[in-house]
Amino acid sequence: MGVRRGALIVLEGVDRAGKTTQCKRLVQALRDSGKEAEMMRFPDRTTMIGQLISSYLEKKSNLEDHTVHLLFSANRWEQVPLMKKKLEQGISLVVDRYAFSGVAFTSAKPVNPAEVAGRGGFGDERYETSVFQRAVQQKFEQLIKDPSVNWKVIDAARSIEDVHTEIKTLSENAINIAENQPIGELWK
Ligand code: TMP
């Protein structure tokens, strides 16, 4: 019998929801229980495309909206061959944001841009305003209605430990199910 493939586990949500902390905890917990797991994040700011995105997010450069959307997309596509290889090798990938952020953030942009610009932020990067994040949240709520994607909604307003326990249980289930399924494609 061949190697059992890994699962693609994506944590999505608004900025500052605790995704990065939870991704790190999850990878550690999976490894501790003998599973192969690695963390990835998007945007991946280490590549040339990622550096263009990073400069845009830090407001050091301006980019036209369609252009930056395509850069975020290209930044994921450039990692797809590597991601497929790792999944085939039986490594589960715990990913801090993926294509759902691409859809949610870009489509939130037409929502009241003037209002967004006028409000104070809770961080220094582009998009880090509560008005914009509320629009992103609404977009995520629309996206989770898609039955072709196996979404689980996690209440992040609890302790790090409680959130972690729930994510770990769900992820272990997902890994067990994925093992017996071929690698598919999103939104197909
Ligand atoms: P980060 O804080 O997780 O590094 O993400 C940086 C910002 O980029 C965050 O505000 C979400 C946004 N983003 C997009 O607008 N489109 C995308 O495709 C992704 C992956 C992130």
PDB file of all heavy atoms in Angstrom, residues 12-13 15 19-20 41-43 45 53 57 68-69 72-73 75-76 96-106 109 125-128 132-133, ligand 1:
ATOM      1  N   GLU A  12      -8.942  30.204   8.521  1.00  0.00           N
ATOM      2  CA  GLU A  12      -9.322  31.499   7.941  1.00  0.00           C
ATOM      3  C   GLU A  12     -10.041  32.333   8.992  1.00  0.00           C
ATOM      4  O   GLU A  12     -10.588  31.808   9.962  1.00  0.00           O
ATOM      5  CB  GLU A  12     -10.262  31.289   6.743  1.00  0.00           C
ATOM      6  CG  GLU A  12      -9.585  30.753   5.494  1.00  0.00           C
ATOM      7  CD  GLU A  12      -8.804  31.829   4.738  1.00  0.00           C
ATOM      8  OE1 GLU A  12      -8.600  32.939   5.275  1.00  0.00           O
ATOM      9  OE2 GLU A  12      -8.403  31.547   3.597  1.00  0.00           O
ATOM     10  N   GLY A  13     -10.086  33.615   8.767  1.00  0.00           N
ATOM     11  CA  GLY A  13     -10.799  34.497   9.686  1.00  0.00           C
ATOM     12  C   GLY A  13     -10.295  35.914   9.538  1.00  0.00           C
ATOM     13  O   GLY A  13      -9.354  36.173   8.776  1.00  0.00           O
ATOM     14  N   ASP A  15      -8.502  39.540  10.596  1.00  0.00           N
ATOM     15  CA  ASP A  15      -7.197  39.832  11.189  1.00  0.00           C
ATOM     16  C   ASP A  15      -7.313  39.795  12.723  1.00  0.00           C
ATOM     17  O   ASP A  15      -8.333  40.193  13.276  1.00  0.00           O
ATOM     18  CB  ASP A  15      -6.718  41.225  10.754  1.00  0.00           C
ATOM     19  CG  ASP A  15      -6.365  41.286   9.264  1.00  0.00           C
ATOM     20  OD1 ASP A  15      -6.552  40.284   8.556  1.00  0.00           O
ATOM     21  OD2 ASP A  15      -5.901  42.353   8.811  1.00  0.00           O
ATOM     22  N   LYS A  19      -5.262  33.224  14.440  1.00  0.00           N
ATOM     23  CA  LYS A  19      -4.996  32.117  13.506  1.00  0.00           C
ATOM     24  C   LYS A  19      -3.549  31.625  13.585  1.00  0.00           C
ATOM     25  O   LYS A  19      -3.299  30.425  13.585  1.00  0.00           O
ATOM     26  CB  LYS A  19      -5.290  32.545  12.052  1.00  0.00           C
ATOM     27  CG  LYS A  19      -6.739  32.870  11.781  1.00  0.00           C
ATOM     28  CD  LYS A  19      -6.963  33.295  10.337  1.00  0.00           C
ATOM     29  CE  LYS A  19      -6.216  34.562   9.958  1.00  0.00           C
ATOM     30  NZ  LYS A  19      -6.550  35.747  10.769  1.00  0.00           N
ATOM     31  N   THR A  20      -2.613  32.562  13.629  1.00  0.00           N
ATOM     32  CA  THR A  20      -1.193  32.173  13.617  1.00  0.00           C
ATOM     33  C   THR A  20      -0.847  31.368  14.870  1.00  0.00           C
ATOM     34  O   THR A  20      -0.193  30.318  14.797  1.00  0.00           O
ATOM     35  CB  THR A  20      -0.301  33.420  13.482  1.00  0.00           C
ATOM     36  OG1 THR A  20      -0.724  34.157  12.327  1.00  0.00           O
ATOM     37  CG2 THR A  20       1.162  33.060  13.336  1.00  0.00           C
ATOM     38  N   ARG A  41       2.004  29.778   5.360  1.00  0.00           N
ATOM     39  CA  ARG A  41       1.129  30.940   5.518  1.00  0.00           C
ATOM     40  C   ARG A  41       1.058  31.728   4.227  1.00  0.00           C
ATOM     41  O   ARG A  41       2.005  31.742   3.437  1.00  0.00           O
ATOM     42  CB  ARG A  41       1.589  31.832   6.667  1.00  0.00           C
ATOM     43  CG  ARG A  41       2.925  32.550   6.441  1.00  0.00           C
ATOM     44  CD  ARG A  41       3.216  33.468   7.601  1.00  0.00           C
ATOM     45  NE  ARG A  41       2.065  34.309   7.899  1.00  0.00           N
ATOM     46  CZ  ARG A  41       1.835  34.845   9.089  1.00  0.00           C
ATOM     47  NH1 ARG A  41       2.642  34.622  10.078  1.00  0.00           N
ATOM     48  NH2 ARG A  41       0.789  35.616   9.268  1.00  0.00           N
ATOM     49  N   PHE A  42      -0.100  32.372   4.024  1.00  0.00           N
ATOM     50  CA  PHE A  42      -0.278  33.244   2.860  1.00  0.00           C
ATOM     51  C   PHE A  42      -0.808  34.595   3.311  1.00  0.00           C
ATOM     52  O   PHE A  42      -1.710  34.626   4.160  1.00  0.00           O
ATOM     53  CB  PHE A  42      -1.213  32.595   1.836  1.00  0.00           C
ATOM     54  CG  PHE A  42      -0.595  31.382   1.207  1.00  0.00           C
ATOM     55  CD1 PHE A  42      -0.946  30.122   1.636  1.00  0.00           C
ATOM     56  CD2 PHE A  42       0.386  31.528   0.242  1.00  0.00           C
ATOM     57  CE1 PHE A  42      -0.340  28.995   1.085  1.00  0.00           C
ATOM     58  CE2 PHE A  42       1.002  30.398  -0.317  1.00  0.00           C
ATOM     59  CZ  PHE A  42       0.622  29.134   0.112  1.00  0.00           C
ATOM     60  N   PRO A  43      -0.312  35.709   2.813  1.00  0.00           N
ATOM     61  CA  PRO A  43       0.740  35.750   1.826  1.00  0.00           C
ATOM     62  C   PRO A  43       2.060  35.204   2.373  1.00  0.00           C
ATOM     63  O   PRO A  43       2.383  35.432   3.533  1.00  0.00           O
ATOM     64  CB  PRO A  43       0.867  37.240   1.488  1.00  0.00           C
ATOM     65  CG  PRO A  43       0.379  37.952   2.714  1.00  0.00           C
ATOM     66  CD  PRO A  43      -0.696  37.067   3.264  1.00  0.00           C
ATOM     67  N   ARG A  45       5.505  36.005   2.370  1.00  0.00           N
ATOM     68  CA  ARG A  45       6.233  37.247   2.056  1.00  0.00           C
ATOM     69  C   ARG A  45       7.683  37.006   1.657  1.00  0.00           C
ATOM     70  O   ARG A  45       8.410  37.954   1.363  1.00  0.00           O
ATOM     71  CB  ARG A  45       6.141  38.214   3.242  1.00  0.00           C
ATOM     72  CG  ARG A  45       4.695  38.531   3.637  1.00  0.00           C
ATOM     73  CD  ARG A  45       4.607  39.622   4.693  1.00  0.00           C
ATOM     74  NE  ARG A  45       3.262  39.682   5.272  1.00  0.00           N
ATOM     75  CZ  ARG A  45       2.659  40.785   5.669  1.00  0.00           C
ATOM     76  NH1 ARG A  45       3.273  41.949   5.569  1.00  0.00           N
ATOM     77  NH2 ARG A  45       1.445  40.759   6.190  1.00  0.00           N
ATOM     78  N   ILE A  53       3.720  42.154  -2.345  1.00  0.00           N
ATOM     79  CA  ILE A  53       2.506  42.188  -1.518  1.00  0.00           C
ATOM     80  C   ILE A  53       2.814  42.833  -0.165  1.00  0.00           C
ATOM     81  O   ILE A  53       2.052  43.672   0.333  1.00  0.00           O
ATOM     82  CB  ILE A  53       1.956  40.752  -1.305  1.00  0.00           C
ATOM     83  CG1 ILE A  53       1.487  40.152  -2.625  1.00  0.00           C
ATOM     84  CG2 ILE A  53       0.836  40.744  -0.278  1.00  0.00           C
ATOM     85  CD1 ILE A  53       1.147  38.661  -2.553  1.00  0.00           C
ATOM     86  N   LEU A  57       1.034  45.966   1.621  1.00  0.00           N
ATOM     87  CA  LEU A  57       0.329  45.891   2.909  1.00  0.00           C
ATOM     88  C   LEU A  57       0.896  46.883   3.918  1.00  0.00           C
ATOM     89  O   LEU A  57       0.166  47.445   4.728  1.00  0.00           O
ATOM     90  CB  LEU A  57       0.402  44.461   3.472  1.00  0.00           C
ATOM     91  CG  LEU A  57      -0.425  43.410   2.733  1.00  0.00           C
ATOM     92  CD1 LEU A  57      -0.089  42.006   3.230  1.00  0.00           C
ATOM     93  CD2 LEU A  57      -1.928  43.681   2.877  1.00  0.00           C
ATOM     94  N   VAL A  68      -3.318  43.690  -7.252  1.00  0.00           N
ATOM     95  CA  VAL A  68      -2.896  43.096  -5.975  1.00  0.00           C
ATOM     96  C   VAL A  68      -3.647  41.782  -5.739  1.00  0.00           C
ATOM     97  O   VAL A  68      -3.079  40.817  -5.202  1.00  0.00           O
ATOM     98  CB  VAL A  68      -3.030  44.099  -4.805  1.00  0.00           C
ATOM     99  CG1 VAL A  68      -4.458  44.286  -4.342  1.00  0.00           C
ATOM    100  CG2 VAL A  68      -2.171  43.655  -3.647  1.00  0.00           C
ATOM    101  N   HIS A  69      -4.883  41.710  -6.207  1.00  0.00           N
ATOM    102  CA  HIS A  69      -5.626  40.442  -6.091  1.00  0.00           C
ATOM    103  C   HIS A  69      -4.871  39.331  -6.830  1.00  0.00           C
ATOM    104  O   HIS A  69      -4.708  38.223  -6.307  1.00  0.00           O
ATOM    105  CB  HIS A  69      -7.036  40.599  -6.672  1.00  0.00           C
ATOM    106  CG  HIS A  69      -7.829  39.333  -6.613  1.00  0.00           C
ATOM    107  ND1 HIS A  69      -8.484  38.924  -5.464  1.00  0.00           N
ATOM    108  CD2 HIS A  69      -8.038  38.361  -7.528  1.00  0.00           C
ATOM    109  CE1 HIS A  69      -9.060  37.751  -5.693  1.00  0.00           C
ATOM    110  NE2 HIS A  69      -8.814  37.399  -6.938  1.00  0.00           N
ATOM    111  N   PHE A  72      -1.758  38.203  -4.952  1.00  0.00           N
ATOM    112  CA  PHE A  72      -2.076  37.265  -3.861  1.00  0.00           C
ATOM    113  C   PHE A  72      -2.323  35.869  -4.445  1.00  0.00           C
ATOM    114  O   PHE A  72      -1.888  34.859  -3.898  1.00  0.00           O
ATOM    115  CB  PHE A  72      -3.335  37.719  -3.104  1.00  0.00           C
ATOM    116  CG  PHE A  72      -3.093  38.713  -1.991  1.00  0.00           C
ATOM    117  CD1 PHE A  72      -3.591  40.008  -2.063  1.00  0.00           C
ATOM    118  CD2 PHE A  72      -2.393  38.346  -0.843  1.00  0.00           C
ATOM    119  CE1 PHE A  72      -3.400  40.917  -1.027  1.00  0.00           C
ATOM    120  CE2 PHE A  72      -2.205  39.247   0.206  1.00  0.00           C
ATOM    121  CZ  PHE A  72      -2.706  40.544   0.106  1.00  0.00           C
ATOM    122  N   SER A  73      -3.070  35.826  -5.572  1.00  0.00           N
ATOM    123  CA  SER A  73      -3.372  34.538  -6.198  1.00  0.00           C
ATOM    124  C   SER A  73      -2.089  33.865  -6.700  1.00  0.00           C
ATOM    125  O   SER A  73      -1.850  32.676  -6.444  1.00  0.00           O
ATOM    126  CB  SER A  73      -4.362  34.769  -7.350  1.00  0.00           C
ATOM    127  OG  SER A  73      -4.618  33.565  -8.001  1.00  0.00           O
ATOM    128  N   ASN A  75       0.827  34.275  -5.637  1.00  0.00           N
ATOM    129  CA  ASN A  75       1.624  33.918  -4.469  1.00  0.00           C
ATOM    130  C   ASN A  75       1.196  32.552  -3.903  1.00  0.00           C
ATOM    131  O   ASN A  75       2.001  31.830  -3.308  1.00  0.00           O
ATOM    132  CB  ASN A  75       1.463  35.039  -3.422  1.00  0.00           C
ATOM    133  CG  ASN A  75       2.311  34.862  -2.180  1.00  0.00           C
ATOM    134  OD1 ASN A  75       1.780  34.800  -1.073  1.00  0.00           O
ATOM    135  ND2 ASN A  75       3.616  34.801  -2.337  1.00  0.00           N
ATOM    136  N   ARG A  76      -0.081  32.184  -4.112  1.00  0.00           N
ATOM    137  CA  ARG A  76      -0.508  30.836  -3.728  1.00  0.00           C
ATOM    138  C   ARG A  76      -0.114  29.824  -4.809  1.00  0.00           C
ATOM    139  O   ARG A  76       0.417  28.764  -4.517  1.00  0.00           O
ATOM    140  CB  ARG A  76      -2.025  30.795  -3.496  1.00  0.00           C
ATOM    141  CG  ARG A  76      -2.448  31.457  -2.197  1.00  0.00           C
ATOM    142  CD  ARG A  76      -3.934  31.274  -1.947  1.00  0.00           C
ATOM    143  NE  ARG A  76      -4.761  32.004  -2.881  1.00  0.00           N
ATOM    144  CZ  ARG A  76      -5.127  33.282  -2.725  1.00  0.00           C
ATOM    145  NH1 ARG A  76      -4.721  33.964  -1.675  1.00  0.00           N
ATOM    146  NH2 ARG A  76      -5.878  33.875  -3.626  1.00  0.00           N
ATOM    147  N   ASP A  96      -2.064  29.071   7.298  1.00  0.00           N
ATOM    148  CA  ASP A  96      -2.560  30.314   7.892  1.00  0.00           C
ATOM    149  C   ASP A  96      -3.043  31.210   6.744  1.00  0.00           C
ATOM    150  O   ASP A  96      -2.234  31.875   6.112  1.00  0.00           O
ATOM    151  CB  ASP A  96      -1.377  30.944   8.645  1.00  0.00           C
ATOM    152  CG  ASP A  96      -1.751  32.141   9.488  1.00  0.00           C
ATOM    153  OD1 ASP A  96      -2.893  32.632   9.386  1.00  0.00           O
ATOM    154  OD2 ASP A  96      -0.872  32.596  10.256  1.00  0.00           O
ATOM    155  N   ARG A  97      -4.344  31.169   6.438  1.00  0.00           N
ATOM    156  CA  ARG A  97      -5.016  31.844   5.319  1.00  0.00           C
ATOM    157  C   ARG A  97      -4.749  31.147   3.984  1.00  0.00           C
ATOM    158  O   ARG A  97      -3.639  30.687   3.723  1.00  0.00           O
ATOM    159  CB  ARG A  97      -4.557  33.289   5.108  1.00  0.00           C
ATOM    160  CG  ARG A  97      -4.875  34.226   6.223  1.00  0.00           C
ATOM    161  CD  ARG A  97      -4.568  35.638   5.724  1.00  0.00           C
ATOM    162  NE  ARG A  97      -4.671  36.609   6.786  1.00  0.00           N
ATOM    163  CZ  ARG A  97      -5.815  37.064   7.279  1.00  0.00           C
ATOM    164  NH1 ARG A  97      -6.954  36.638   6.793  1.00  0.00           N
ATOM    165  NH2 ARG A  97      -5.825  37.942   8.250  1.00  0.00           N
ATOM    166  N   TYR A  98      -5.790  31.160   3.127  1.00  0.00           N
ATOM    167  CA  TYR A  98      -5.612  30.605   1.780  1.00  0.00           C
ATOM    168  C   TYR A  98      -6.530  31.369   0.839  1.00  0.00           C
ATOM    169  O   TYR A  98      -6.745  32.578   1.027  1.00  0.00           O
ATOM    170  CB  TYR A  98      -5.869  29.082   1.809  1.00  0.00           C
ATOM    171  CG  TYR A  98      -5.255  28.340   0.658  1.00  0.00           C
ATOM    172  CD1 TYR A  98      -3.915  28.491   0.341  1.00  0.00           C
ATOM    173  CD2 TYR A  98      -6.016  27.468  -0.112  1.00  0.00           C
ATOM    174  CE1 TYR A  98      -3.347  27.803  -0.730  1.00  0.00           C
ATOM    175  CE2 TYR A  98      -5.458  26.767  -1.176  1.00  0.00           C
ATOM    176  CZ  TYR A  98      -4.123  26.951  -1.478  1.00  0.00           C
ATOM    177  OH  TYR A  98      -3.574  26.269  -2.526  1.00  0.00           O
ATOM    178  N   ALA A  99      -7.088  30.672  -0.159  1.00  0.00           N
ATOM    179  CA  ALA A  99      -7.829  31.382  -1.206  1.00  0.00           C
ATOM    180  C   ALA A  99      -9.100  32.070  -0.694  1.00  0.00           C
ATOM    181  O   ALA A  99      -9.588  33.013  -1.320  1.00  0.00           O
ATOM    182  CB  ALA A  99      -8.197  30.392  -2.306  1.00  0.00           C
ATOM    183  N   PHE A 100      -9.627  31.601   0.438  1.00  0.00           N
ATOM    184  CA  PHE A 100     -10.844  32.213   0.991  1.00  0.00           C
ATOM    185  C   PHE A 100     -10.564  33.650   1.418  1.00  0.00           C
ATOM    186  O   PHE A 100     -11.389  34.529   1.267  1.00  0.00           O
ATOM    187  CB  PHE A 100     -11.363  31.365   2.147  1.00  0.00           C
ATOM    188  CG  PHE A 100     -11.371  29.919   1.798  1.00  0.00           C
ATOM    189  CD1 PHE A 100     -10.320  29.099   2.155  1.00  0.00           C
ATOM    190  CD2 PHE A 100     -12.394  29.393   1.020  1.00  0.00           C
ATOM    191  CE1 PHE A 100     -10.289  27.767   1.770  1.00  0.00           C
ATOM    192  CE2 PHE A 100     -12.382  28.065   0.625  1.00  0.00           C
ATOM    193  CZ  PHE A 100     -11.320  27.254   1.001  1.00  0.00           C
ATOM    194  N   SER A 101      -9.360  33.890   1.958  1.00  0.00           N
ATOM    195  CA  SER A 101      -8.972  35.280   2.274  1.00  0.00           C
ATOM    196  C   SER A 101      -8.884  36.085   0.988  1.00  0.00           C
ATOM    197  O   SER A 101      -9.239  37.266   0.966  1.00  0.00           O
ATOM    198  CB  SER A 101      -7.604  35.330   2.977  1.00  0.00           C
ATOM    199  OG  SER A 101      -7.735  35.126   4.359  1.00  0.00           O
ATOM    200  N   GLY A 102      -8.398  35.433  -0.074  1.00  0.00           N
ATOM    201  CA  GLY A 102      -8.298  36.128  -1.360  1.00  0.00           C
ATOM    202  C   GLY A 102      -9.654  36.652  -1.795  1.00  0.00           C
ATOM    203  O   GLY A 102      -9.795  37.818  -2.173  1.00  0.00           O
ATOM    204  N   VAL A 103     -10.675  35.790  -1.700  1.00  0.00           N
ATOM    205  CA  VAL A 103     -12.025  36.198  -2.106  1.00  0.00           C
ATOM    206  C   VAL A 103     -12.594  37.216  -1.118  1.00  0.00           C
ATOM    207  O   VAL A 103     -13.119  38.271  -1.506  1.00  0.00           O
ATOM    208  CB  VAL A 103     -12.969  34.967  -2.178  1.00  0.00           C
ATOM    209  CG1 VAL A 103     -14.379  35.403  -2.534  1.00  0.00           C
ATOM    210  CG2 VAL A 103     -12.448  33.951  -3.178  1.00  0.00           C
ATOM    211  N   ALA A 104     -12.506  36.897   0.169  1.00  0.00           N
ATOM    212  CA  ALA A 104     -13.174  37.735   1.177  1.00  0.00           C
ATOM    213  C   ALA A 104     -12.592  39.154   1.223  1.00  0.00           C
ATOM    214  O   ALA A 104     -13.343  40.134   1.260  1.00  0.00           O
ATOM    215  CB  ALA A 104     -13.073  37.083   2.556  1.00  0.00           C
ATOM    216  N   PHE A 105     -11.274  39.266   1.202  1.00  0.00           N
ATOM    217  CA  PHE A 105     -10.671  40.603   1.316  1.00  0.00           C
ATOM    218  C   PHE A 105     -10.901  41.432   0.058  1.00  0.00           C
ATOM    219  O   PHE A 105     -11.245  42.610   0.137  1.00  0.00           O
ATOM    220  CB  PHE A 105      -9.180  40.515   1.661  1.00  0.00           C
ATOM    221  CG  PHE A 105      -8.941  40.310   3.135  1.00  0.00           C
ATOM    222  CD1 PHE A 105      -9.137  39.060   3.709  1.00  0.00           C
ATOM    223  CD2 PHE A 105      -8.576  41.359   3.956  1.00  0.00           C
ATOM    224  CE1 PHE A 105      -8.958  38.863   5.080  1.00  0.00           C
ATOM    225  CE2 PHE A 105      -8.391  41.185   5.324  1.00  0.00           C
ATOM    226  CZ  PHE A 105      -8.586  39.932   5.886  1.00  0.00           C
ATOM    227  N   THR A 106     -10.711  40.809  -1.105  1.00  0.00           N
ATOM    228  CA  THR A 106     -10.900  41.590  -2.333  1.00  0.00           C
ATOM    229  C   THR A 106     -12.358  42.007  -2.482  1.00  0.00           C
ATOM    230  O   THR A 106     -12.651  43.165  -2.803  1.00  0.00           O
ATOM    231  CB  THR A 106     -10.471  40.780  -3.579  1.00  0.00           C
ATOM    232  OG1 THR A 106      -9.069  40.558  -3.514  1.00  0.00           O
ATOM    233  CG2 THR A 106     -10.783  41.543  -4.864  1.00  0.00           C
ATOM    234  N   LYS A 109     -13.657  45.006  -0.558  1.00  0.00           N
ATOM    235  CA  LYS A 109     -13.169  46.349  -0.898  1.00  0.00           C
ATOM    236  C   LYS A 109     -14.244  47.301  -1.429  1.00  0.00           C
ATOM    237  O   LYS A 109     -14.181  48.490  -1.112  1.00  0.00           O
ATOM    238  CB  LYS A 109     -12.017  46.261  -1.912  1.00  0.00           C
ATOM    239  CG  LYS A 109     -10.711  45.850  -1.258  1.00  0.00           C
ATOM    240  CD  LYS A 109      -9.582  45.845  -2.270  1.00  0.00           C
ATOM    241  CE  LYS A 109      -8.252  45.750  -1.559  1.00  0.00           C
ATOM    242  NZ  LYS A 109      -7.128  45.765  -2.486  1.00  0.00           N
ATOM    243  N   GLU A 125      -1.066  47.956   9.309  1.00  0.00           N
ATOM    244  CA  GLU A 125      -1.139  47.517   7.917  1.00  0.00           C
ATOM    245  C   GLU A 125      -2.468  47.910   7.275  1.00  0.00           C
ATOM    246  O   GLU A 125      -3.459  48.168   7.940  1.00  0.00           O
ATOM    247  CB  GLU A 125      -0.940  45.993   7.830  1.00  0.00           C
ATOM    248  CG  GLU A 125       0.495  45.598   8.102  1.00  0.00           C
ATOM    249  CD  GLU A 125       0.941  44.345   7.370  1.00  0.00           C
ATOM    250  OE1 GLU A 125       0.143  43.419   7.225  1.00  0.00           O
ATOM    251  OE2 GLU A 125       2.121  44.312   6.955  1.00  0.00           O
ATOM    252  N   ARG A 126      -2.418  47.947   5.970  1.00  0.00           N
ATOM    253  CA  ARG A 126      -3.610  48.159   5.162  1.00  0.00           C
ATOM    254  C   ARG A 126      -4.672  47.140   5.597  1.00  0.00           C
ATOM    255  O   ARG A 126      -4.317  46.033   5.977  1.00  0.00           O
ATOM    256  CB  ARG A 126      -3.229  47.906   3.699  1.00  0.00           C
ATOM    257  CG  ARG A 126      -3.909  48.791   2.707  1.00  0.00           C
ATOM    258  CD  ARG A 126      -3.430  48.399   1.334  1.00  0.00           C
ATOM    259  NE  ARG A 126      -2.173  49.022   0.956  1.00  0.00           N
ATOM    260  CZ  ARG A 126      -2.091  50.178   0.285  1.00  0.00           C
ATOM    261  NH1 ARG A 126      -3.154  50.845  -0.057  1.00  0.00           N
ATOM    262  NH2 ARG A 126      -0.897  50.653  -0.055  1.00  0.00           N
ATOM    263  N   TYR A 127      -5.894  47.436   5.558  1.00  0.00           N
ATOM    264  CA  TYR A 127      -7.044  46.568   5.906  1.00  0.00           C
ATOM    265  C   TYR A 127      -7.295  46.468   7.406  1.00  0.00           C
ATOM    266  O   TYR A 127      -8.301  45.889   7.811  1.00  0.00           O
ATOM    267  CB  TYR A 127      -6.906  45.122   5.376  1.00  0.00           C
ATOM    268  CG  TYR A 127      -6.614  44.971   3.918  1.00  0.00           C
ATOM    269  CD1 TYR A 127      -5.823  43.922   3.454  1.00  0.00           C
ATOM    270  CD2 TYR A 127      -7.142  45.856   2.974  1.00  0.00           C
ATOM    271  CE1 TYR A 127      -5.561  43.751   2.109  1.00  0.00           C
ATOM    272  CE2 TYR A 127      -6.875  45.694   1.624  1.00  0.00           C
ATOM    273  CZ  TYR A 127      -6.076  44.652   1.197  1.00  0.00           C
ATOM    274  OH  TYR A 127      -5.812  44.477  -0.132  1.00  0.00           O
ATOM    275  N   GLU A 128      -6.359  46.969   8.257  1.00  0.00           N
ATOM    276  CA  GLU A 128      -6.547  46.761   9.693  1.00  0.00           C
ATOM    277  C   GLU A 128      -7.420  47.852  10.312  1.00  0.00           C
ATOM    278  O   GLU A 128      -6.988  48.597  11.190  1.00  0.00           O
ATOM    279  CB  GLU A 128      -5.187  46.644  10.398  1.00  0.00           C
ATOM    280  CG  GLU A 128      -4.504  45.333  10.023  1.00  0.00           C
ATOM    281  CD  GLU A 128      -3.207  45.059  10.768  1.00  0.00           C
ATOM    282  OE1 GLU A 128      -2.538  46.019  11.178  1.00  0.00           O
ATOM    283  OE2 GLU A 128      -2.872  43.883  10.930  1.00  0.00           O
ATOM    284  N   PHE A 132     -13.565  47.708   7.930  1.00  0.00           N
ATOM    285  CA  PHE A 132     -13.200  46.807   6.841  1.00  0.00           C
ATOM    286  C   PHE A 132     -13.279  45.345   7.282  1.00  0.00           C
ATOM    287  O   PHE A 132     -13.776  44.477   6.566  1.00  0.00           O
ATOM    288  CB  PHE A 132     -11.804  47.136   6.304  1.00  0.00           C
ATOM    289  CG  PHE A 132     -11.473  46.369   5.049  1.00  0.00           C
ATOM    290  CD1 PHE A 132     -12.113  46.651   3.853  1.00  0.00           C
ATOM    291  CD2 PHE A 132     -10.547  45.345   5.073  1.00  0.00           C
ATOM    292  CE1 PHE A 132     -11.832  45.930   2.697  1.00  0.00           C
ATOM    293  CE2 PHE A 132     -10.258  44.614   3.920  1.00  0.00           C
ATOM    294  CZ  PHE A 132     -10.900  44.913   2.734  1.00  0.00           C
ATOM    295  N   GLN A 133     -12.810  45.077   8.500  1.00  0.00           N
ATOM    296  CA  GLN A 133     -12.817  43.692   8.984  1.00  0.00           C
ATOM    297  C   GLN A 133     -14.244  43.167   9.136  1.00  0.00           C
ATOM    298  O   GLN A 133     -14.503  41.982   8.942  1.00  0.00           O
ATOM    299  CB  GLN A 133     -12.051  43.587  10.315  1.00  0.00           C
ATOM    300  CG  GLN A 133     -10.566  43.891  10.182  1.00  0.00           C
ATOM    301  CD  GLN A 133      -9.811  42.860   9.357  1.00  0.00           C
ATOM    302  OE1 GLN A 133     -10.070  41.667   9.439  1.00  0.00           O
ATOM    303  NE2 GLN A 133      -8.857  43.317   8.558  1.00  0.00           N
TER     304      GLN A 133
HETATM  305  P1  TMP B   1      -1.443  38.284   7.442  1.00  0.00           P
HETATM  306  O1  TMP B   1      -1.707  39.346   8.458  1.00  0.00           O
HETATM  307  O2  TMP B   1      -2.110  36.976   7.764  1.00  0.00           O
HETATM  308  O3  TMP B   1       0.012  38.156   7.090  1.00  0.00           O
HETATM  309  O4  TMP B   1      -2.185  38.749   6.082  1.00  0.00           O
HETATM  310  C1  TMP B   1      -1.901  39.990   5.534  1.00  0.00           C
HETATM  311  C2  TMP B   1      -3.129  40.652   5.004  1.00  0.00           C
HETATM  312  O5  TMP B   1      -3.385  40.242   3.657  1.00  0.00           O
HETATM  313  C3  TMP B   1      -4.410  40.429   5.791  1.00  0.00           C
HETATM  314  O6  TMP B   1      -5.013  41.704   6.030  1.00  0.00           O
HETATM  315  C4  TMP B   1      -5.277  39.621   4.842  1.00  0.00           C
HETATM  316  C5  TMP B   1      -4.780  40.030   3.483  1.00  0.00           C
HETATM  317  N1  TMP B   1      -4.965  39.051   2.404  1.00  0.00           N
HETATM  318  C6  TMP B   1      -5.627  39.447   1.231  1.00  0.00           C
HETATM  319  O7  TMP B   1      -6.103  40.579   1.122  1.00  0.00           O
HETATM  320  N2  TMP B   1      -5.730  38.551   0.200  1.00  0.00           N
HETATM  321  C7  TMP B   1      -5.216  37.277   0.280  1.00  0.00           C
HETATM  322  O8  TMP B   1      -5.337  36.491  -0.683  1.00  0.00           O
HETATM  323  C8  TMP B   1      -4.540  36.874   1.504  1.00  0.00           C
HETATM  324  C9  TMP B   1      -3.946  35.511   1.606  1.00  0.00           C
HETATM  325  C10 TMP B   1      -4.430  37.806   2.523  1.00  0.00           C
END
